[in-house]
Amino acid sequence: MVDVTEKEMDNPTFKSDTVLSDVHLHCPNKRHLMVRLNAVGQPVFLSYFKLLWNTEDSASKKQVREATTEREHQYRSGDELWDKDRNNLKEERELNSEGIEALLDDDGDLEVVRRPRSASDLEAEDLLRDRVYPVILMKGEEDAFEDEEQECTCSDVVKIEHTMATPLEDVGKQVWRAAFLLADYVLFKRDTFRCRSVLELGGGTGITSIIMGTVAKRVYCTDVGEDLLAMCEQNVALNKHLMDPGRGEVKVKELDWLKDEFCTDPEAPYSWSEEEIADLHDHCTVIMAADVFYDDDLTDALFRTLYRITHNLRNSCTVYLALEKRLNFTLRHMDVTCEAYSHFRNTLNDLENLQDRKMKYTVEPIKLDFCQFLVYERIEQL
């Protein structure tokens, strides 16, 4: 895991003590609006995510696939020139190939001549680069994204405030691929979730709960930390236009996996009322979590919370878990491993094998061949 300190946002310097989600680095030539600094001094950006509602038809599937493929290509070759520039370079190489012997030193080694700076700067404004361009919002510039927004209808756009890079304890303030994956599944299976009562664990910026709120009756989006929950609540407010009137209520609440009880202190922000706890226990039939399995202790705490909550539910419940398997090289193993994922799988197996007279858990994977409604890299590690 790495950190980014932005001297310039498009030229990040990596450090070892914080974490960067690369979701926004795959948006070529997109501006990300820096709207404020949060309570701990982190820059907060506003991003627009377009929903491709009609992906059921083959033309739209092709559109999403082509857009994703193009984005992957841009990521791999962000600093390449356009075709015309590559053709010019090819001709230049062919001309220079005749004099290749002149590039050898006294020992016969090839001396690589760097292309002059003036050549690399040629028509720089027209080059396609995979960069993130931050825009700082100044007073009187609230419509800085007006051009982008006009391209989409209100029902097509999700607005999310988020950070770009954070310490490990603040990763919920970023947007992660598994949240997009789970949101895709919700949109693909809209009838399954229609009019349901839903609990999200580790909701972060709230994007998955917001998508769920377009079809469900009520969503309890939970996490921990007043600053994060305030950001999540702001995102819910920004996306009220997606919810049907009288339905799709999203409530932002605190739920600490390291505590055995709901926070019911009326003086505490984002606490639960007794009525809300009763409503959750009486009506919740869906629990979901995305990209929350990165720390073994928190994974253990999450499964304890899952057991405690499902044990108190009146109805049977389905839990949807989405994650990205992250590979890391460790000195302990001297190999590339995925310890967080391995611990998650072991804990999941323990839950499935739990001997409980009242409860029985069954686990099954979901194939990832369903439609994409958001443009992102659906990598094999998801």
Side-chain angles (χ1 to χ4, degrees):
M1 291 184 174
V2 295
D3 179 22
V4 173
T5 56
E6 284 83 10
K7 218 174 186 182
E8 297 179 6
M9 184 66 68
D10 59 346
N11 289 307
T13 301
F14 294 96
K15 293 187 176 181
S16 60
D17 56 347
T18 34
V19 187
L20 168 70
S21 167
D22 63 355
V23 166
H24 303 285
L25 297 182
H26 291 270
C27 300
N29 299 324
K30 286 291 185 182
R31 298 182 296 166
H32 295 286
L33 192 66
M34 177 178 156
V35 291
R36 59 187 171 86
L37 295 176
N38 62 17
V40 293
Q42 297 163 341
V44 176
F45 294 83
L46 178 65
S47 290
Y48 286 58
F49 300 99
K50 185 177 180 181
L51 294 174
L52 306 176
W53 288 110
N54 297 319
T55 50
E56 287 88 354
D57 60 84
S58 57
S60 295
K61 288 181 183 179
K62 181 179 179 183
Q63 177 187 7
V64 176
R65 186 165 57 251
E66 288 176 350
T68 304
T69 302
E70 179 185 2
R71 180 160 296 181
E72 291 172 350
H73 173 71
Q74 291 167 353
Y75 178 65
R76 290 191 297 267
S77 57
D79 285 333
E80 289 184 358
L81 300 174
W82 287 86
D83 290 341
K84 64 178 182 179
D85 298 304
R86 286 200 294 269
N87 291 336
N88 291 339
L89 289 174
K90 183 178 179 181
E91 293 175 2
E92 183 179 335
R93 291 192 193 100
E94 291 174 351
L95 291 173
N96 291 336
S97 62
E98 298 176 359
I100 192 68
E101 293 181 359
L103 299 179
L104 302 180
D105 62 15
D106 295 337
D107 297 326
D109 298 322
L110 179 65
E111 288 186 347
V112 179
V113 179
R114 179 176 177 176
R115 187 157 47 104
R117 181 176 180 83
S118 58
S120 63
D121 290 341
L122 184 63
E123 299 181 7
E125 294 183 358
D126 295 330
L127 302 184
L128 179 62
R129 298 184 182 276
D130 199 23
R131 295 288 194 233
V132 172
Y133 295 96
V135 177
I136 300 177
L137 180 64
M138 308 299 287
K139 182 175 288 188
E141 295 182 4
E142 287 79 1
D143 296 330
F145 273 155
E146 185 176 355
D147 293 339
E148 288 93 334
E149 194 173 5
Q150 286 178 349
E151 297 176 1
C152 311
T153 63
C154 288
S155 61
D156 291 331
V157 174
V158 182
K159 306 173 187 178
I160 296 293
E161 287 192 2
H162 61 91
T163 57
M164 287 285 192
T166 63
L168 186 61
E169 60 268 21
D170 282 337
V171 291
K173 295 176 183 175
Q174 300 185 56
V175 181
W176 300 91
R177 265 190 293 249
F180 284 122
L181 181 71
L182 189 51
D184 270 345
Y185 187 75
V186 170
L187 293 173
F188 181 67
K189 291 284 191 178
R190 288 192 286 270
D191 291 341
T192 300
F193 301 107
R194 201 172 301 280
C195 299
R196 296 290 196 96
S197 183
V198 180
L199 170 67
E200 181 175 14
L201 301 174
T205 60
I207 186 168
T208 309
S209 282
I210 290 166
I211 296 299
M212 179 65 84
T214 64
V215 291
K217 178 181 180 181
R218 182 173 293 110
V219 182
Y220 291 100
C221 181
T222 68
D223 216 307
V224 66
E226 186 175 343
D227 195 44
L228 173 58
L229 292 171
M231 175 186 286
C232 182
E233 189 172 56
Q234 169 69 4
N235 286 333
V236 171
L238 285 172
N239 292 281
K240 286 290 187 182
H241 61 283
L242 297 175
M243 318 291 179
D244 290 337
R247 198 178 66 183
E249 181 183 21
V250 179
K251 292 190 173 187
V252 178
K253 296 293 176 182
E254 178 180 322
L255 184 56
D256 191 340
W257 307 339
L258 300 176
K259 297 179 180 178
D260 293 333
E261 302 294 338
F262 292 93
C263 176
T264 56
D265 181 0
E267 300 297 323
Y270 309 105
S271 62
W272 297 72
S273 68
E274 295 296 338
E275 292 77 11
E276 288 169 336
I277 296 174
D279 175 65
L280 178 72
H281 288 158
D282 290 342
H283 301 108
C284 179
T285 56
V286 173
I287 298 176
M288 60 181 182
D291 245 332
V292 295
F293 304 102
Y294 56 89
D295 178 273
D296 290 357
D297 292 335
L298 288 179
T299 296
D300 293 338
L302 171 63
F303 277 98
R304 288 195 299 269
T305 300
L306 265 179
Y307 175 79
R308 174 172 57 85
I309 291 176
T310 54
H311 198 80
N312 291 316
L313 294 182
R314 174 174 293 184
N315 303 300
S316 60
C317 179
T318 304
V319 182
Y320 296 90
L321 305 175
L323 70 157
E324 181 177 337
K325 186 192 299 185
R326 291 181 172 83
L327 304 174
N328 297 289
F329 179 85
T330 63
L331 292 175
R332 182 156 59 95
H333 295 93
M334 292 302 291
D335 197 2
V336 175
T337 63
C338 195
E339 294 183 283
Y341 177 77
S342 298
H343 185 78
F344 158 75
R345 290 294 309 185
N346 292 335
T347 311
L348 189 63
N349 291 336
D350 292 341
L351 185 68
E352 188 176 21
N353 296 326
L354 183 67
Q355 300 295 325
D356 190 316
R357 294 180 180 179
K358 289 184 61 178
M359 304 288 294
K360 181 180 180 182
Y361 299 89
T362 58
V363 177
E364 60 181 79
I366 296 174
K367 292 183 179 180
L368 303 188
D369 55 356
F370 50 87
C371 298
Q372 272 191 240
F373 293 82
L374 291 154
V375 178
Y376 63 99
E377 286 186 298
R378 191 177 284 185
I379 59 176
E380 62 181 355
Q381 288 79 22
L382 281 174

